[in-house]
Amino acid sequence: QLANYPDRALLLAIFEGISGEAFSELLNLQTRNLKEIDEKFYATLTNKDGEQRTIGISDKLFFYLHKADNAEIYYNKNGESESEKSSQSQFVDSPFIFKKLARGRKDGDIDAFYVRRKFQMFKELFGAKYLTAKEIENSGILHMVHEFHQQNGVVTEENWEQIAEQYDTSFIKYQGEDVRNILALKRKANEKIFEDKYGYSLNRSEEHTSELQSL
């Protein structure tokens, strides 16, 4: 439903775990941070404090991010503007994938308000009154949980740690060490929304698997 590649890229990037404080990982992203190695795709992300991490991304997101960076024209109102004069806008030149449009103030970098404006547009376009970036991120988390469950029949502790790394969850103290908080992820996956979306309860499914393995 999205006419512009930057909008597709932004939504899918958040779904796949690219965010950061004030969306800094997203807004700092450049195509030189994207790599393909042995037909797998990676993004090296930089947060507002200059800290970096590298995550795996889908081939579709890799494609969208490059298309977003190369986009020269933005179709206003998702391509549905009735005004011929204002139906399109040009992008301001920038090394970053997500760029300002050449209208209004052109100086300075885009910030978190850029993402919030995008979500206002998404709400109207999708008819989703309460859609937020956090909901998109949570949806991505549940999708990753489901993918691991489909592969293995269970979601292992190692899988939970991989999900925590992908979505950069907070750290907690465990036996004197800083570890990713996977308990918060498990709580999300055990909410009814997971069962409604994927048609099974994670708890019941894993209990059944454990019973079969013990026979």
Side-chain angles (χ1 to χ4, degrees):
Q1 292 176 267
L2 295 172
N4 296 287
Y5 278 109
D7 295 337
R8 298 184 194 184
L10 183 141
L11 203 55
L12 189 56
I14 293 173
F15 181 82
E16 294 194 17
I18 300 176
S19 183
E21 185 178 348
F23 302 105
S24 52
E25 290 183 342
L26 191 71
L27 303 181
N28 287 332
L29 199 57
Q30 302 180 42
T31 51
R32 66 184 180 87
N33 305 133
L34 307 175
K35 294 285 186 291
E36 179 183 356
I37 303 172
D38 296 332
E39 298 184 347
K40 293 185 178 179
F41 303 89
Y42 301 91
T44 297
L45 313 173
T46 305
N47 68 17
K48 65 188 292 290
D49 297 321
E51 298 169 334
Q52 291 190 330
R53 67 192 186 99
T54 299
I55 63 170
I57 61 173
S58 67
D59 58 344
K60 179 180 282 188
L61 178 55
F62 186 84
F63 173 76
Y64 280 173
L65 288 168
H66 278 91
K67 293 290 283 188
D69 187 58
N70 292 325
E72 297 179 356
I73 293 171
Y74 185 85
Y75 299 98
N76 298 325
K77 295 187 177 180
N78 201 46
E80 296 176 2
S81 174
E82 296 178 0
S83 168
E84 186 174 335
K85 184 178 179 181
S86 61
S87 63
Q88 299 177 1
S89 296
Q90 298 283 332
F91 288 99
V92 173
D93 189 43
S94 166
F96 301 106
I97 291 173
F98 297 100
K99 303 170 175 65
K100 279 190 170 183
L101 294 174
R103 61 190 189 200
R105 287 186 57 188
K106 302 179 184 63
D107 58 324
D109 297 325
I110 57 176
D111 55 21
F113 186 62
Y114 168 89
V115 180
R116 289 195 286 271
R117 283 203 320 272
K118 291 295 182 185
F119 270 86
Q120 191 56 47
M121 184 264 285
F122 296 152
K123 287 178 186 181
E124 295 169 5
L125 179 64
F126 301 142
K129 187 176 180 181
Y130 301 108
L131 185 67
T132 65
K134 179 54 70 174
E135 282 193 342
I136 296 298
E137 181 181 282
N138 287 341
S139 183
I141 289 169
L142 298 188
H143 176 74
M144 196 169 179
V145 170
H146 173 66
E147 291 288 294
F148 277 129
H149 191 272
Q150 292 296 100
Q151 292 168 20
N152 309 323
V154 294
V155 185
T156 65
E157 289 300 302
E158 183 182 352
N159 294 153
W160 287 113
E161 289 169 9
Q162 288 175 269
I163 299 167
E165 290 290 338
Q166 184 80 13
Y167 290 89
D168 198 23
T169 66
S170 59
F171 286 91
I172 58 173
K173 284 286 184 187
Y174 179 72
Q175 296 181 348
E177 293 185 13
D178 288 329
V179 297
R180 291 284 188 184
N181 184 1
I182 65 173
L183 296 177
L185 297 177
K186 290 181 176 181
R187 280 196 293 270
K188 292 180 196 293
N190 284 316
E191 292 174 358
K192 190 172 183 296
I193 190 170
F194 183 89
E195 188 171 356
D196 290 344
K197 173 67 178 175
Y198 294 108
Y200 64 92
S201 165
L202 196 65
N203 264 349
R204 284 200 292 271
S205 174
E206 295 197 347
E207 284 170 5
H208 178 63
T209 301
S210 295
E211 288 172 5
L212 291 176
Q213 288 173 341
S214 66
L215 293 176

